[in-house]
Amino acid sequence: MNVDKLITVNVEGQRLQLPEGTLIEAISDQFQANGRPLIVAAKVARSLRELTTSLTEDVTIEFIDLSNQDGVRIYQRSLLLVLIRAAIECFSDIHLTVEHSLNKGLYVEVHYERPLTDADVFEIRQRMADIIDSGELFMKERVSKAEAAQIFEDLRMGSKKRLLDYRKSDYINVYSLGWMKNYFYGYMVPSTRYLFLFDLKRYADGLILMHPDRFSQFTLPEYLEQEKLAQVYRESETWARILDVSYVYNLNDMIVSGQHPEMIRIAEALHEKKIAQIADQIQKSGKRVILIAGPSSSGKTTFAHRLMIQLRVNGLRPVTLGTDDYFVDRAHTPLDENGEYDFESLEAVDTQKFNEDVTRLLAGETVDLPTFNFLTGEREYNGRKLKIDADQPLVIEGIHGLNEKMTEIIDRQTKFKIYISALTQLNIDEHNRIPTTDSRLIRRIIRDHRTRGHSAGATIQRWPSVRRGEERNIFPFQEEADVMFNSSMVYELAILKKYAEPLLRSIDETCEESIEAKRLLKFLSYFVSIDSDQDVPATSILKEFIGGSCF
């Protein structure tokens, strides 16, 4: 630190004169007031920076805390390194692989000579607490690929070592926590003293790591059993083994060797088989109201079309009914916390009229269907009528399909609920997972640009609002589903890469969204691109986003 030279730091309306070389952490300590979410990083000149960054020129900084998804990622990533080290210190031959979000936490699979007991988990949790209480520092060093390969080999981190084959840079940043060294895709907190809030639970063949999120910034989220979602993840892991693609390096190897066309065909066949099985379940159940719900960019539209084809194969004659036409008039649309129209709220839908019309249709009556005019913001009746026969099920796609309030008048015994989401089964390596939200955001960036002319920046700007709507209106009801469908394709990011990268690079660095764009570009850099789409069938869910769908 140069105490003789002062720099100007603008932060939260204050103008500070500080010695050159001041760490951001020293400034954040002054602003970490009681009642404020934990500060874990900062934005400096539209770039994300760790709190250990020293400032050498006049800047404006904005703190990143646990109310921000970047902040949550940093907290989770740092806590994971503590868990991995603690587990090895307790059981030297143990190996952990980070899998996916589950039960409001993160599921980490345990590979050990025997199943862990509650006493074992307690021991690991206590060791984590000891490391955290000691306030140990997270240290970052730049090493050569050769040095990194030796580190990963010594620690039995095979997928990390193999992924180095596809890294363009000759160097890599490795984090240390005491004796433990590891590579993580993203930043860390300065020390373990930041990680005071966590829990560890035994679950299935592994552990659930609990930590704060954006919606519970000061406490741990309530543990929520999600057995149906867990079952879908287990099925996805089985699919990954069938395809022999569990990590990004496996996918890259197949692309480089030219084996990816067969992998694409198998992946698509697995999708079709699952959809056919769902159609068989519907036919066997005799239920006539088929409700399809899922978060943004999960591929609901293509799934609905493919399901209807399979229902026809089974001799049924399905009919679709849209929920968007049952929006209340714009004047009655509820507002969100920012005073903007909240079209994703259940109150934005005239559920009473929707229930009445569906009930009458099931009774064989002719119903005048509304059409919502999005220009005038009013519901209209233009002579569109519908009457269905007893062998015709109604296929209804909408975000509220799993919420019983959406169809509360309709007998539960006649409803078949389907939850669809892109639950990525592919991970970067043992300890760096691919969040479902990242895959969906990349899908949406590409589709929004192609179909609506939206820039990547506009889609990224809108994404937090979309995510809030999902947390309120979709995710709380996913366990209500009769069946879940995973729309993720193990090969899709290698296809999407060539579409997404130019859109992300077009975001000006002065824009707020450039931070997220840089993160996604870094994420996509791990993948070898599949340059041609010729092997992706026209019925693929992926075509809903890149174009060329037969639907």
Side-chain angles (χ1 to χ4, degrees):
M1 182 185 297
N2 185 354
V3 296
D4 297 325
K5 180 180 178 181
L6 297 179
I7 60 173
T8 301
V9 179
N10 297 300
V11 53
E12 298 189 354
Q14 297 188 37
R15 188 180 179 88
L16 307 177
Q17 296 291 311
L18 300 169
E20 181 185 23
T22 296
L23 299 182
I24 298 175
E25 184 180 23
I27 305 171
S28 70
D29 286 343
Q30 302 175 40
F31 288 83
Q32 187 63 75
N34 289 334
R36 176 176 189 158
L38 181 68
I39 297 171
V40 295
K43 292 179 185 176
V44 181
R46 303 298 182 189
S47 293
L48 194 63
R49 291 288 180 263
E50 290 177 296
L51 293 181
T52 51
T53 302
S54 61
L55 301 175
T56 58
E57 59 185 0
D58 296 346
V59 291
T60 297
I61 67 174
E62 179 184 341
F63 292 125
I64 300 294
D65 58 33
L66 294 186
S67 67
N68 183 288
Q69 190 59 40
D70 282 320
V72 174
R73 291 189 190 102
I74 290 169
Y75 192 102
Q76 181 192 76
R77 191 180 299 124
S78 306
L79 192 60
L80 271 171
L81 185 50
V82 175
L83 168 60
I84 295 164
R85 175 181 145 181
I88 294 173
E89 289 179 350
C90 292
F91 306 96
S92 59
D93 292 331
I94 202 168
H95 187 68
L96 304 183
T97 57
V98 178
E99 297 296 335
H100 46 73
S101 296
L102 188 67
N103 298 1
K104 293 292 184 180
L106 186 66
Y107 177 64
V108 180
E109 196 161 270
V110 174
H111 307 273
Y112 192 50
E113 60 188 19
R114 59 171 174 78
L116 292 188
T117 65
D118 288 335
D120 295 332
V121 175
F122 178 83
E123 184 178 349
I124 297 173
R125 186 193 299 114
Q126 188 56 53
R127 182 61 191 134
M128 290 179 67
D130 291 341
I131 295 171
I132 289 169
D133 290 344
S134 69
E136 291 191 45
L137 300 179
F138 290 92
M139 307 298 293
K140 182 165 67 175
E141 62 177 322
R142 189 167 180 253
V143 302
S144 68
K145 285 204 298 186
E147 290 176 280
Q150 188 60 56
I151 290 170
F152 300 150
E153 183 174 342
D154 292 344
L155 294 170
R156 296 184 300 151
M157 299 177 183
S159 66
K160 290 178 186 287
K161 182 181 178 182
R162 291 292 305 276
L163 192 58
L164 288 173
D165 295 340
Y166 297 98
R167 186 175 178 85
K168 294 180 180 179
S169 172
D170 291 330
Y171 294 90
I172 185 172
N173 289 323
V174 172
Y175 282 94
S176 299
L177 181 64
W179 65 267
M180 182 76 196
K181 295 179 183 290
N182 208 331
Y183 171 75
F184 280 90
Y185 153 56
Y187 292 148
M188 297 281 186
V189 295
S191 74
T192 58
R193 73 177 179 88
Y194 286 79
L195 308 174
F196 53 86
L197 197 56
F198 81 97
D199 198 4
L200 194 66
K201 298 179 181 292
R202 184 167 65 91
Y203 182 86
D205 295 325
L207 306 164
I208 298 288
L209 180 63
M210 305 293 294
H211 59 81
D213 60 22
R214 289 182 301 138
F215 306 98
S216 60
Q217 300 152 17
F218 304 100
T219 60
L220 295 177
E222 182 182 356
Y223 183 83
L224 179 66
E225 195 76 33
Q226 295 177 305
E227 181 51 39
K228 291 180 181 178
L229 189 63
Q231 176 58 37
V232 174
Y233 275 122
R234 285 192 290 269
E235 182 181 81
S236 297
E237 290 166 9
T238 300
W239 287 15
R241 285 194 293 271
I242 291 172
L243 294 167
D244 196 23
V245 182
S246 296
Y247 298 112
V248 171
Y249 86 84
N250 297 125
L251 176 62
N252 290 344
D253 285 351
M254 283 195 171
I255 296 169
V256 170
S257 64
Q259 300 176 57
H260 60 280
E262 181 180 6
M263 174 190 60
I264 292 173
R265 288 190 287 272
I266 295 172
E268 292 289 347
L270 284 167
H271 260 195
E272 197 61 44
K273 183 174 182 178
K274 181 64 176 178
I275 295 171
Q277 289 172 344
I278 293 172
D280 292 344
Q281 287 179 257
I282 292 170
Q283 182 185 37
K284 186 176 180 179
S285 72
K287 296 180 178 181
R288 296 185 61 201
V289 179
I290 303 162
L291 298 156
I292 302 171
S296 174
S297 303
S298 54
K300 295 184 293 294
T301 301
T302 300
F303 172 82
H305 282 294
R306 289 172 67 172
L307 178 63
M308 290 177 67
I309 290 173
Q310 292 294 341
L311 290 172
R312 291 190 181 102
V313 169
N314 287 352
L316 302 177
R317 295 183 298 136
V319 176
T320 60
L321 185 65
T323 56
D324 285 358
D325 288 324
Y326 287 87
F327 275 134
V328 298
D329 289 347
R330 191 71 44 79
H332 304 296
T333 301
L335 305 178
D336 63 16
E337 59 272 18
N338 299 317
E340 299 178 355
Y341 290 119
D342 187 0
F343 294 110
E344 294 179 334
S345 167
L346 182 63
E347 286 68 35
V349 181
D350 187 346
T351 57
Q352 181 176 348
K353 180 60 177 172
F354 177 78
N355 276 264
E356 289 173 357
D357 284 358
V358 172
T359 300
R360 290 178 59 204
L361 285 169
L362 294 175
E365 298 181 29
T366 299
V367 174
D368 289 320
L369 296 179
T371 299
F372 192 81
N373 188 323
F374 285 90
L375 294 178
T376 65
E378 295 180 344
R379 207 183 315 155
E380 301 172 345
Y381 287 87
N382 302 315
R384 192 161 64 101
K385 299 180 183 297
L386 180 64
K387 182 179 184 298
I388 62 174
D389 297 329
D391 64 342
Q392 291 186 281
L394 280 172
V395 177
I396 303 168
E397 175 199 331
I399 65 171
H400 300 291
L402 304 184
N403 186 345
E404 268 299 300
K405 291 182 179 179
M406 179 68 189
T407 54
E408 58 186 349
I409 300 177
I410 303 165
D411 185 357
R412 180 69 176 89
Q413 298 304 311
T414 195
K415 291 181 283 192
F416 192 95
K417 296 182 177 182
I418 302 171
Y419 175 73
I420 174 173
S421 190
L423 305 172
T424 311
Q425 64 261 46
L426 186 71
N427 282 336
I428 295 173
D429 57 43
E430 291 104 319
H431 304 139
N432 290 278
R433 69 190 184 95
I434 299 176
T436 293
T437 52
D438 282 357
S439 297
R440 291 193 293 110
L441 175 54
I442 290 169
R443 283 180 172 188
R444 179 155 175 162
I445 286 170
I446 295 168
R447 185 179 61 187
D448 280 3
H449 176 75
R450 181 178 64 82
T451 63
R452 301 176 183 177
H454 290 178
S455 67
T459 301
I460 291 172
Q461 184 181 50
R462 168 72 176 155
W463 191 243
S465 175
V466 172
R467 296 281 289 114
R468 283 195 298 272
E470 293 169 352
E471 291 288 343
R472 293 171 183 168
N473 302 310
I474 300 174
F475 298 146
F477 306 103
Q478 57 191 6
E479 287 293 309
E480 296 292 320
D482 294 296
V483 68
M484 293 186 177
F485 178 79
N486 184 0
S487 70
S488 173
M489 308 297 298
V490 71
Y491 70 88
E492 71 174 78
L493 287 164
I495 290 283
L496 297 177
K497 177 177 179 173
K498 61 180 174 291
Y499 293 96
E501 285 184 333
L503 301 177
L504 292 167
R505 291 195 184 107
S506 70
I507 298 178
D508 193 292
E509 289 203 357
T510 62
C511 295
E512 186 76 18
E513 294 72 37
S514 65
I515 292 178
E516 183 70 346
K518 290 174 185 175
R519 187 184 71 82
L520 293 173
L521 283 167
K522 171 69 173 175
F523 162 60
L524 288 169
S525 72
Y526 294 107
F527 292 83
V528 171
S529 179
I530 297 176
D531 295 328
S532 173
D533 300 338
Q534 66 179 5
D535 295 303
V536 182
T539 56
S540 174
I541 281 175
L542 204 53
K543 287 295 183 82
E544 182 176 327
F545 304 96
I546 64 176
S549 173
C550 63
F551 302 118

